[in-house]
Amino acid sequence: MSNSEEAAPAPLTKAVLTVFLPFSGGYFLSYLFRSVNAIIAPQLTGELGLGAADLGLLTSAYFLAFAAFQIPLGVLLDRFGPRKVHPLLLCFAALGGALFAFGTSLTELLVGRALIGLGVSGALMASFKAITMWFPRRTWPLTNGCFMAVGGLGAISATAPTEWLLEVTDWRGVFMGLAGGCVVIAALIFFVCPEREVAGRNTTLKESLTGIAHIFTDRLFWRVWPVSVAVIAYSMAVQGLWIGPYLRDVGAFGREMVANHLFWTAASLTVGFIFSGLVASRLERRGISLAVSFGFIAVAFMIAQGLIVFQIVPQSLLPWVLFALTGNATAINYALLSRHFPLAYAGRANTAINLMIFLGAFSIQYAIGGIISLWPTSADGGYAAEGYKVAFGVFLILQIITFAWFVLSARWAPASRS
């Protein structure tokens, strides 16, 4: 089934109320789960005696489980549709949140965190699939950007609001609340979102696997995924954990100031999602492709990353604002790939790039902790500024290399098949 064969989009108001809003609730929780460890890191390390590498492993377990399910997820979405798949997965997230809340050892918390990652592994991909089914094709970049902005609201909620909530309850109470939220959103999606014929419903398992192989051997896919991992995965890894300890150790901020800075970076992340969708859509109307927009945003991100690596203004919020504005804004690559492949491949195409990104996020988040731990900690348990410089610098070099590949490979990677 080609893109030209896609079903007629639903009336926009109906699509927003019955598809966009319910699915965005799941993505909100996904981002809150992903980012909350940045604010509760001191409690986790203090209560459980975790080192930098342990903290990196614990937080990144989310990404590993998330990534491991991406290929099966793509097949399930293309065969059964997002309305059936996503609610079931959210039940696993609820189980993981409850286990994390009651965990008393690193192993128990790792299992809980992994179940959370599995459970929210469809939050973005199921929603992108739903968007391709219910929204007009021309609106995908902007709709995706607005949807991801809701995730930014989840990231905002994981900053100062969570810090305030910790004055009422502890981190265990927070995770129990998140577990309950997953159950509510799962029911909402299943009972409110209408059913629609899925393009790949009659696809055999062999055909599904052939489609996956087709995606992973596609030239545009190989042009896009390395720089996507270097930028988006790194942004996720840092914003999901290491920005909080960095502000504490390098910026010398107290807990309240760290929470405030995290709030503004999360707000910038939210604005970046919407801004990138608007800009990309307008530039397309002027003949500038999504690939070019993606490239310019990636360059802006690397500039912000350079300011942070060399600790030029370690107490300034501005580099982190630019970092947040541009990091996940490069997620317009999802719309780029969705358009490039037939509609029946949409779930598998997005989960394929998501697999690479989340494997990268797991590796990067864990690796940053490993590099930082090479330096001795201070008397109050803080990490060395030099460790952050080296760890962040390694991935800036990787970003430059992969961006060069993205630019140079443009000659043989077609922009679209549609």
Side-chain angles (χ1 to χ4, degrees):
M1 183 175 182
S2 67
N3 285 342
S4 62
E5 296 173 294
E6 62 186 273
L12 191 58
T13 301
K14 179 182 178 181
V16 169
L17 293 176
T18 63
V19 179
F20 185 93
L21 291 181
F23 276 94
S24 65
Y27 192 51
F28 174 90
L29 290 176
S30 171
Y31 235 104
L32 185 48
F33 270 127
R34 184 190 306 174
S35 306
V36 71
N37 278 16
I39 201 73
I40 67 170
Q43 289 94 326
L44 290 175
T45 55
E47 184 173 331
L48 300 173
L50 305 179
D54 292 332
L55 185 60
L57 176 62
L58 172 61
T59 306
S60 64
Y62 168 105
F63 292 124
L64 181 61
F66 196 115
F69 197 66
Q70 288 306 293
I71 297 304
L73 173 65
V75 174
L76 291 172
L77 288 175
D78 283 338
R79 294 192 71 181
F80 300 108
R83 175 181 168 272
K84 295 177 179 176
V85 174
H86 191 28
L88 179 61
L89 288 174
L90 282 175
C91 292
F92 284 97
L95 177 62
L99 180 59
F100 196 94
F102 288 103
T104 57
S105 68
L106 177 60
T107 300
E108 290 172 352
L109 294 182
L110 279 169
V111 174
R113 186 76 175 165
L115 281 172
I116 291 169
L118 170 65
V120 299
S121 63
L124 182 60
M125 298 297 97
S127 305
F128 279 173
K129 178 70 176 180
I131 287 170
T132 64
M133 294 170 64
W134 285 91
F135 286 80
R137 186 170 180 266
R138 68 181 184 279
T139 69
W140 290 355
L142 179 57
T143 306
N144 286 355
C146 291
F147 179 85
M148 295 184 77
V150 178
L153 295 178
I156 290 174
S157 299
T159 61
T162 298
E163 179 69 19
W164 300 331
L165 188 59
L166 289 172
E167 297 179 3
V168 179
T169 184
D170 59 5
W171 61 270
R172 297 181 186 276
V174 170
F175 273 84
M176 281 303 299
L178 290 173
C182 288
V183 175
V184 172
I185 295 299
L188 194 62
I189 292 173
F190 188 78
F191 290 110
V192 172
C193 183
E195 189 64 274
R196 170 162 263 184
E197 182 70 23
V198 181
R201 175 167 292 175
N202 298 321
T203 304
T204 66
L205 179 59
K206 180 179 179 180
E207 290 170 336
S208 295
L209 296 176
T210 300
I212 293 171
H214 179 66
I215 292 166
F216 274 98
T217 55
D218 182 82
R219 291 183 295 175
L220 181 64
F221 182 82
W222 275 88
R223 180 191 175 199
V224 168
W225 82 254
V227 69
S228 298
V229 169
V231 174
I232 300 175
Y234 177 81
S235 173
M236 288 179 175
V238 172
Q239 292 191 71
L241 175 61
W242 292 115
I243 180 175
Y246 175 96
L247 292 170
R248 176 196 66 194
D249 300 331
V250 180
F253 293 127
R255 285 189 54 81
E256 185 176 349
M257 284 298 295
V258 168
N260 288 337
H261 275 58
L262 289 175
F263 175 87
W264 287 112
T265 55
S268 301
L269 173 74
T270 305
V271 173
F273 283 137
I274 300 175
F275 181 74
S276 63
L278 284 170
V279 170
S281 295
R282 293 199 173 191
L283 289 178
E284 270 200 305
R285 290 198 290 270
R286 299 189 178 188
I288 299 174
S289 69
L290 287 179
V292 173
S293 297
F294 175 87
F296 277 115
I297 296 172
V299 169
F301 176 82
M302 287 185 282
I303 292 172
Q305 172 73 350
L307 295 175
I308 295 166
V309 166
F310 295 105
Q311 299 172 7
I312 296 174
V313 280
Q315 292 189 315
S316 174
L317 183 60
L318 292 179
W320 287 107
V321 167
L322 181 59
F323 180 96
L325 276 172
T326 56
N328 283 14
T330 49
I332 58 174
N333 64 354
Y334 289 107
L336 175 66
L337 289 175
S338 292
R339 291 179 174 181
H340 176 66
F341 292 103
L343 184 64
Y345 282 33
R348 281 163 288 174
N350 281 328
T351 53
I353 188 69
N354 224 34
L355 168 65
M356 310 305 289
I357 289 171
F358 276 82
L359 279 177
F362 162 77
S363 303
I364 293 168
Q365 198 168 71
Y366 187 26
I368 289 174
I371 294 172
I372 290 174
S373 67
L374 296 176
W375 279 260
T377 57
S378 63
D380 61 356
Y383 307 126
E386 191 66 23
Y388 289 102
K389 181 181 292 187
V390 173
F392 290 2
V394 166
F395 292 103
L396 175 59
I397 294 171
L398 183 62
Q399 290 157 17
I400 294 170
I401 293 171
T402 56
F403 181 75
W405 164 253
F406 174 76
V407 173
L408 295 175
S409 61
R411 296 180 180 179
W412 56 269
S416 176
R417 283 195 187 126
S418 59

